[in-house]
């Protein structure tokens, strides 16, 4: 619930700052923060039915069904949905037509290939996450971020980058996914019997999420709108 709290804080901060950014693409980012907060609250439904006795009937209804776990939920609405949003968002303020075309082209391939991969691994879709989709999703976001930084370095944007909320968003995403993505390759070693690794991974996840959403909140408050 601590993780949900920091995401809700970012969403509320965005709502309070919405008027300031209503005439810029940042309004889409604020809507996404609200989407993420709602997504996380809904996606935790396995925890709710497990911990709250008054949801016993719901627990029994979900028991043994494909929706007992929430892997499918996060794959669709976060892993795929998040990559699609960030590719859309960066295309709103990138000035290079080539960069925009590259992002759109790779994102289209990502969506199609992810759907095909899910169809061919339908049963696993409900009981595990997919490395292919996760890594491809992170690649889309990192590509968008890198193309943005290249554009900043090659234009006069570099003179005022510290005042741009898009810089903070891109920088945080870069740090977040550079830390999180390598952890995917170590999931094959994940075991409940190795509590040291379980605790380490959980700690890294929590710190990354806290850092990301608190920085988003700071950027929304600190930065001024730029058309």
């Amino acid at each position: 619930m601590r993780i949900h709290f920091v995401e809700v804080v970012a969403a509320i901060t965005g709502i309070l700052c919405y008027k300031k950014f209503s005439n810029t693409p940042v309004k889409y980012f604020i809507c996404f923060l609200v989407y993420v907060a709602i997504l996380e609250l809904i996606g935790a439904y396995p925890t709710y039915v497990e911990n709250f006795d008054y949801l016993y009937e719901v627990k029994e209804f979900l028991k043994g069904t494909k929706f007992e776990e929430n892997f499918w939920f996060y794959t669709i609405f976060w892993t795929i949905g998040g990559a699609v949003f960030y590719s859309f968002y960066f295309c709103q303020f990138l000035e290079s037509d080539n960069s925009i075309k590259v992002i759109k082209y790779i994102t289209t391939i990502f969506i199609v290939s992810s759907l095909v991969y899910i169809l061919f691994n339908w049963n696993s879709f409900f009981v595990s996450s997919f490395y292919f989709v996760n890594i491809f999703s992170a690649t889309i976001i990192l590509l968008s971020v890198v193309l943005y930084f290249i554009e900043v370095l090659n234009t006069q944007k570099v003179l005022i980058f510290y005042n741009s909320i898009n810089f903070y968003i891109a920088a945080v995403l870069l740090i977040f996914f550079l830390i999180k993505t390598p952890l995917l390759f170590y999931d094959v070693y994940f075991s409940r019997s190795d509590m040291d690794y379980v605790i380490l991974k959980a700690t890294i996840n929590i710190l990354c999420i806290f850092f990301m959403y608190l920085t988003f909140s700071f950027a929304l408050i600190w930065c001024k709108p730029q058309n």
Side-chain angles (χ1 to χ4, degrees), residues 70-168:
N70 59 5
F71 292 103
W72 65 275
F73 185 85
Y74 280 107
T75 297
I76 295 174
F77 296 106
W78 170 245
T79 307
I80 297 177
V84 171
F85 167 76
Y86 280 116
S87 64
F88 160 80
Y89 179 69
F90 279 92
C91 284
Q92 300 305 304
F93 52 84
L94 283 173
E95 297 178 359
S96 171
D97 290 336
N98 290 332
S99 295
I100 294 173
K101 288 178 181 178
V102 168
I103 293 174
K104 288 182 177 180
Y105 179 73
I106 299 298
T107 302
T108 301
I109 295 176
F110 166 67
I111 295 172
V112 174
S113 60
S114 295
L115 293 177
V116 171
Y117 191 87
I118 289 171
L119 288 175
F120 278 94
N121 298 273
W122 184 249
N123 291 328
S124 299
F125 175 56
F126 295 94
V127 295
S128 65
S129 58
F130 293 139
Y131 295 129
F132 170 77
V133 179
N134 288 336
I135 293 172
F136 205 162
S137 173
T139 302
I140 294 291
I141 297 173
L142 288 174
L143 173 65
S144 302
V145 169
V146 169
L147 290 176
Y148 165 73
F149 280 131
I150 291 174
E151 184 171 292
V152 168
L153 292 173
N154 290 330
T155 64
Q156 291 185 345
K157 291 180 181 179
V158 71
L159 301 176
I160 56 171
F161 72 91
Y162 52 87
N163 285 327
S164 172
I165 186 173
N166 295 322
F167 169 79
Y168 291 100

Side-chain angles (χ1 to χ4, degrees), residues 6 28 31 45 65 80 82 102 104 117 129 166 172 186 198 214:
V6 75
Y28 301 121
C31 292
Y45 70 86
T65 68
I80 297 177
V102 168
K104 288 182 177 180
Y117 191 87
S129 58
N166 295 322
V172 170
Y186 290 94
V198 172
L214 289 179

Side-chain angles (χ1 to χ4, degrees), residues 5-71:
F5 171 76
V6 75
E7 290 162 346
V8 170
V9 168
I12 293 174
T13 303
I15 293 172
L16 294 176
C17 296
Y18 184 85
K19 185 177 181 180
K20 180 170 68 170
F21 295 102
S22 60
N23 294 321
T24 71
V26 180
K27 63 184 178 183
Y28 301 121
F29 179 71
I30 292 173
C31 292
F32 181 71
L33 290 179
V34 175
Y35 164 82
V36 170
I38 297 173
L39 175 71
E40 289 294 341
L41 291 173
I42 296 175
Y45 70 86
T47 303
Y48 302 149
V49 299
E50 185 67 31
N51 295 333
F52 297 111
D53 294 336
Y54 61 84
L55 295 175
Y56 175 78
E57 293 184 0
V58 178
K59 179 180 179 180
E60 290 299 310
F61 174 77
L62 293 174
K63 189 175 182 179
T65 68
K66 292 183 179 296
F67 303 103
E68 185 174 5
E69 300 291 340
N70 59 5
F71 292 103

